[in-house]
Amino acid sequence: MKRTKDGTRLMVAASEHDADMLYATKFWAPDPFIFLQRNGKRTLVLSDLEIDRARKQADADEFVSFNKLEREVQGKATKAPPYEKVLSYFLRKRGVRSTVVPASFPLGYAREIAAHKIRLTATNGLFWPERETKSDREIQMMSRALRITEAGLARGVEVLKASKFGPGRKLRWAGKILTSEILRAEIDSAILRAGGTPNGTIVAGGDQACDPHERGFGPLYANSLIILDVFPRDAKTGYFGDLTRTVLRGRAREPQRQLWEAVKAGQALALKRIKAGVDGADIHKAIQDFFAKRGYRTEVRKGRQVGFFHGTGHGLGLEIHEYPRLQKVTLKDRQVLTVEPGLYYPGIGGARQEDVVVVTKSRGWKLSRFPKQLEI
């Protein structure tokens, strides 16, 4: 990562939506604010609405009122100045001549700052490289996020177990047809009660599950594979959990059982190989080869992808998909990754198993605990 000579770093973002800002400040805010790190000192520029709360909660050395700066720029004008004018004024007032910004830094802000001869350098990679590996404290917070995730999964399984078989194999629960939407609401409600924020929970049955990011809709059916992919955020810390289980209410046909067993075995193969220094691409290829030997080729059939056509896993933390992609790096000690192979064949259905591991020098330490069971 390129750095300016004095190590000055600048972000302007809402920490509720920007993981780098939340990582740096440990402060939740719905609107953009200014972060400036210079000579090791961290300054936050916030509205008067947020500044007192930030003084109590944020990890920073200095707190500056944006409203005060805004009044200084406005002077006797009747109209308040644009945000970028205040930002540029603040940097000039602090004597900043050059700074590193994230690659996603807003273009309008960058143009205004550059017009005042302040040089911006965008990072070529991670803004905070230390986010790639996790501290003991972060691992504890991610474990908590996974307990929240498991509470959601447990509720999903509980409702499916309580469902009955109705006409046309449609599942019924609480006196009505059980749909993906109803089951998702039950899972998400359990997440909220456990202290999490739901985030696009997937409940996809039958051929719907053959599109891995299809959230699912309509009735759920007996004797059909159902993918439950649950990835909430801990409302307290901002860290994500991410787990997937594939279940079936009723009795599995042999092709369904074989598909499910192949995915479970493929994931177990990957989990055994994970440790620092291993090339993630080798793990990914080993799973592909394993599936192919079992007769599950990855190819295009009738115009659509079938088999194992997505990545083996991804980084997890303050973002649901954060650096690195498992299959694109050599694994490092203390990375936290998902491991989630899947197979998808219309007519049989989709199956995916996903767990979360911490990479160590000797093995992958699994943080998730939720059991794997096909028939419920």
Side-chain angles (χ1 to χ4, degrees), residues 39-230:
N39 299 323
K41 180 179 180 180
R42 295 184 169 195
T43 300
L44 303 186
V45 182
L46 304 109
S47 71
D48 289 350
L49 176 69
E50 299 285 15
I51 195 166
D52 288 338
R53 185 169 67 90
R55 287 191 177 105
K56 299 172 187 174
Q57 299 175 4
D59 181 7
D61 304 298
E62 180 188 19
F63 301 88
V64 174
S65 167
F66 180 88
N67 299 74
K68 183 175 183 295
L69 293 171
E70 185 180 52
R71 289 192 294 270
E72 291 174 8
V73 176
Q74 181 174 352
K76 295 182 180 179
T78 57
K79 189 176 180 181
Y83 194 100
E84 59 267 26
K85 296 284 186 183
V86 181
L87 170 62
S88 172
Y89 170 74
F90 166 69
L91 295 175
R92 286 180 281 128
K93 189 174 182 180
R94 290 300 174 103
V96 174
R97 301 308 306 160
S98 63
T99 183
V100 173
V101 297
S104 59
F105 194 77
L107 179 60
Y109 296 175
R111 284 175 171 168
E112 176 65 26
I113 293 168
H116 290 278
K117 310 300 183 184
I118 299 173
R119 184 168 63 89
L120 300 182
T121 304
T123 51
N124 181 20
L126 299 174
F127 189 73
W128 302 115
E130 54 268 39
R131 278 186 60 199
E132 181 180 354
T133 57
K134 304 299 187 282
S135 67
D136 288 346
R137 176 61 179 149
E138 286 180 290
I139 291 170
Q140 289 175 1
M141 290 189 285
M142 295 185 72
S143 295
R144 174 183 147 88
L146 285 166
R147 301 295 83 78
I148 293 169
T149 308
E150 289 165 349
L153 270 175
R155 179 57 180 163
V157 170
E158 180 183 35
V159 171
L160 283 169
K161 280 185 177 180
S163 67
K164 307 296 182 184
F165 300 178
R169 295 192 302 109
K170 291 179 182 178
L171 295 176
R172 296 186 63 83
W173 177 74
K176 53 191 172 184
I177 293 172
L178 180 61
T179 64
S180 291
E181 292 86 349
I182 289 172
L183 188 56
R184 181 162 43 245
E186 290 296 316
I187 292 170
D188 288 352
S189 295
I191 287 167
L192 287 166
R193 288 191 294 270
T197 303
N199 186 60
T201 300
I202 291 172
V203 179
D207 285 354
Q208 288 182 22
C210 294
D211 292 311
H213 281 170
E214 169 59 59
R215 292 189 65 199
F217 57 90
L220 294 169
Y221 292 87
N223 309 323
S224 179
L225 293 171
I226 301 170
I227 287 180
L228 306 176
D229 190 345
V230 184

Side-chain angles (χ1 to χ4, degrees), residues 244-294:
T244 304
R245 293 293 182 264
T246 303
V247 297
L248 181 145
R249 176 70 174 115
R251 293 294 179 186
R253 294 181 287 114
E254 194 57 29
Q256 294 169 321
R257 186 179 302 280
Q258 289 178 2
L259 189 79
W260 189 90
E261 292 287 357
V263 171
K264 183 182 177 186
Q267 192 207 35
L269 180 153
L271 291 170
K272 287 180 181 178
R273 295 191 176 203
I274 286 176
K275 65 178 179 178
V278 172
D279 189 337
D282 291 341
I283 295 174
H284 184 72
K285 187 175 186 305
I287 299 172
Q288 289 179 317
D289 292 345
F290 173 80
F291 286 158
K293 287 177 182 177
R294 290 227 178 168

